Amino acid sequence: MTDTPSRSITSLADEVDALLARLGVEPGRHKGGTLVARTPITGEITGRVHEVSAAQAAVEIDKAHAAFLEWRQVPAPKRGELVRLLGEELRANKEALGRLVSIEVGKIASEGLGEVQEMIDICDFAVGLARQLYGLTIATERSEHRMMEIWHPLGVTGIISAFNFPVAVWCWNAALALVCGNSIVWKPSEKTPLTALATEALFARALERFKQAGGPAPDALSVVLFGGRDIGEILVDHTKVPLVSATGSTAMGRAVGPRLANRFARAILELGGNNAAIVTPTADLDLTLRGVAFAAMGTAGQRCTTLRRLFVHETVYDTFVPRLKRAYQSVTIGDPLQAGALVGPLIDHGAYSSMQKALDAARAVGGHVLGGERVALAGADEAYYVRPALVEMSTQTGPVRHETFAPILYVMTYRDLDAVLELHNDVPQGLSSSIFTNDLREAETFLSARGSDCGIANVNIGPSGAEIGGAFGGEKETGGGRESGSDAWKAYMRRATNTINFGRTLPLAQGVKFDLA
């Protein structure tokens, strides 16, 4: 393994100040507050954001509801124009916002920019969607009647996002919610308030341009609530929020889901993933090596789609796994802002502690661990850089069955495709999956009903990463929610079935007779 050269990482606080000013954040918004922002690159404090009180949060949600009552009456193509302008602002500020993402989350530069590109892509998708919110004309059994379904705006859309994609997840939901006619209330992760401030400022710019062009847009169309779990609970429990899209751990989903169900609100839950890949005898091992390495080590293992379990056929195990180990030993770990680094830091000490506990548990059940130790970097004593860990396991047991949000890859051997599919599916989570094969039958079996039970199933690419054109989400303890792609917009709207009688008689359905004397 190669680390970046030992050197002092200069203070990032001044750069954060400059970036926020460039992105339009008002001076003082990130100073003097109680919510402390730190960069995982050095561990230093980069801002102090002002939190809202419980009472303030409730007032802001009420304002968002009032905004919805106006926004729902704006034609959808005009609503799409606002999202188009948001996309323009994101394009113009991609470099600055991408840099801020890298600083606040610890992503390498290309991943920070890639996150902003996801925002741009979903804006483009949503703008087109603004003219495609189609209903259906339905065949009716009654003569001189027409039956149809139409879709209406739902209401305030609550968004609770996680640290690992601090702005893309907001945009996945916000762009669709806005074109569907909803207002939005966002509770960002406490670990990433600065990128939320920047995104809020860019949306405000787009909204001002929309208004200057004559667009009818109410105040409080988009609201950001900074705070901890108590603020998230207010959003979840508020009766004027009919939909909450929540991204985070399965434990978070178990808390959020029942509370929403208790008041019959809708939920889009994007929760944990314990994603697996299968390497078959016919796999292109060069392609597989790159696919596995990125999926397992990219973003320091802090993606919900990170590859965490790898099943390698016994006939290629002794060829492929040594090559994979060499990749683990040679990958460059260090300051993600510097060219050449491929693996940046974990988000904080809590993530590092969870990783070490999982590795200890793996050793306790016979796992052989390569890597996993902390990497020292000059000027970053309070940051948590680690070597990605490759753990050879004889069986899928102990920590292998649980998601640890860190770069740990559990590697196991297999002999039979049917048996490995059973192992693949025998975990509580069901987000993303992949198979590496040049055998058409194996590929099609993996994608069939008896194959992967995940919401995302890939062939000859890893499970990590997704395009906004496809619905994103998973099954089982992953929560069942879907964002982006095909008909995901329907989650942000309510459906009404309409029947119109254009005749002069009143036939009843199912031949019912009700004739008055």
Side-chain angles (χ1 to χ4, degrees):
M1 186 214 71
T2 303
D3 303 335
T4 52
S6 179
R7 63 174 185 82
S8 294
I9 300 176
T10 56
S11 172
L12 293 171
D14 290 343
E15 183 177 358
V16 166
D17 288 349
L19 286 170
L20 289 173
R22 178 177 167 185
L23 290 162
V25 176
E26 296 177 4
R29 289 292 307 278
H30 65 294
K31 301 290 185 182
T34 55
L35 183 57
V36 177
R38 294 181 182 272
T39 170
I41 296 174
T42 61
E44 70 184 284
I45 294 174
T46 50
R48 297 179 182 273
V49 175
H50 298 273
E51 299 179 80
V52 297
S53 67
Q56 289 171 328
V59 168
E60 292 300 313
I61 294 171
D62 285 338
K63 290 180 181 178
H65 176 70
F68 157 70
L69 297 179
E70 294 184 42
W71 186 242
R72 66 181 177 176
Q73 299 183 72
V74 176
K78 290 186 178 180
R79 299 194 298 249
E81 174 63 11
L82 173 58
V83 176
R84 188 189 70 80
L85 293 173
L86 174 60
E88 282 191 356
E89 292 296 332
L90 291 167
R91 280 184 170 87
N93 294 278
K94 179 179 175 179
E95 181 181 350
L97 184 56
R99 179 79 172 183
L100 188 61
V101 168
S102 289
I103 292 173
E104 190 160 49
V105 183
K107 293 185 176 184
I108 61 174
S110 64
E111 289 198 66
L113 292 171
E115 178 159 354
V116 183
Q117 186 61 49
E118 280 195 64
M119 302 173 77
I120 295 167
D121 292 344
I122 194 64
C123 285
D124 288 349
F125 182 88
V127 171
L129 186 65
R131 294 181 183 270
Q132 300 177 74
L133 302 175
Y134 299 135
L136 297 173
T137 299
I138 305 164
T140 173
E141 66 191 59
R142 289 169 284 186
S143 62
E144 297 186 305
H145 281 58
R146 179 164 64 90
M147 187 162 58
M148 61 184 181
E149 66 172 29
I150 59 175
W151 294 84
H152 295 300
L154 181 63
V156 177
T157 297
I159 305 169
I160 299 175
S161 59
F163 78 85
N164 59 326
F165 280 86
V167 290
V169 168
W170 172 81
C171 212
W172 292 349
N173 288 278
L176 294 186
L178 287 167
V179 299
C180 288
N182 302 330
S183 59
I184 48 179
V185 178
W186 180 21
K187 193 280 181 190
S189 169
E190 303 96 297
K191 298 178 183 180
T192 54
L194 302 183
T195 45
L197 277 175
T199 302
E200 179 187 30
L202 292 178
F203 180 80
R205 285 183 183 177
L207 186 63
E208 183 59 29
R209 290 174 61 193
F210 183 72
K211 290 179 177 179
Q212 288 177 355
D219 294 331
L221 186 58
S222 175
V223 172
V224 184
L225 303 177
F226 293 102
R229 177 171 177 167
D230 59 326
I231 301 302
E233 290 175 344
I234 291 170
L235 184 59
V236 168
D237 292 338
H238 202 291
T239 57
K240 291 179 181 176
V241 182
L243 168 66
V244 174
S245 176
T247 301
S249 67
T250 297
M252 181 274 287
R254 284 200 174 96
V256 168
R259 295 177 79 140
L260 291 171
N262 186 58
R263 62 180 184 87
F264 302 104
R266 297 189 196 176
I268 299 175
L269 298 179
E270 299 286 358
L271 310 176
N274 193 358
N275 314 294
I278 299 169
V279 182
T280 72
T282 65
D284 177 334
L285 296 185
D286 292 333
L287 179 151
T288 302
L289 181 65
R290 186 166 178 238
V292 167
F294 170 71
M297 293 187 280
T299 327
Q302 297 171 120
R303 287 179 176 234
C304 49
T305 53
T306 291
L307 176 60
R308 309 200 184 279
R309 297 176 295 137
L310 183 67
F311 300 98
V312 183
H313 195 272
E314 60 184 14
T315 61
V316 293
Y317 191 95
D318 290 339
T319 301
F320 179 73
V321 174
R323 292 183 62 186
L324 184 60
K325 288 181 178 179
R326 288 194 292 273
Y328 267 68
Q329 292 169 325
S330 65
V331 71
T332 304
I333 300 166
D335 178 356
L337 302 180
Q338 298 299 312
L342 292 178
V343 178
L346 296 176
I347 190 67
D348 55 23
H349 176 266
Y352 173 74
S353 178
S354 294
M355 180 177 182
Q356 299 311 308
K357 289 178 181 177
L359 293 177
D360 288 343
R363 292 186 186 98
V365 292
H368 182 266
V369 178
L370 172 71
E373 63 269 26
R374 190 174 177 185
V375 174
L377 207 65
D381 294 341
E382 295 185 39
Y384 292 87
Y385 294 83
V386 295
R387 299 187 184 191
L390 186 154
V391 184
E392 293 181 272
M393 298 288 293
S394 59
T395 60
Q396 182 166 266
T397 188
V400 185
R401 296 181 55 78
H402 306 285
E403 180 188 41
T404 302
F405 221 58
I408 302 175
L409 178 64
Y410 300 104
V411 183
M412 293 154 282
T413 186
Y414 82 94
R415 177 178 299 175
D416 175 73
L417 181 63
D418 287 334
V420 77
L421 286 174
E422 185 176 346
L423 285 171
H424 176 283
N425 295 340
D426 187 29
V427 293
Q429 310 85 358
L431 178 53
S432 191
S433 58
S434 63
I435 189 170
F436 292 89
T437 182
N438 284 321
D439 185 319
L440 179 62
R441 291 183 178 87
E442 288 183 326
E444 291 292 342
T445 297
F446 185 75
L447 301 180
S448 74
R450 71 181 181 92
S452 169
D453 66 355
C454 295
I456 300 170
N458 298 329
V459 177
N460 291 332
I461 63 171
S464 186
E467 298 181 38
I468 58 87
F472 182 88
E475 302 301 324
K476 301 186 295 188
E477 289 190 0
T478 301
R482 294 295 187 276
E483 294 165 324
S484 305
S486 63
D487 63 350
W489 60 271
K490 293 180 179 179
Y492 303 88
M493 305 194 81
R494 61 181 179 87
R495 174 165 44 190
T497 300
N498 307 140
T499 303
I500 302 168
N501 179 1
F502 57 90
R504 296 184 181 276
T505 60
L506 189 66
L508 301 180
Q510 294 88 46
V512 172
K513 300 296 183 181
F514 194 81
D515 297 324
L516 298 177

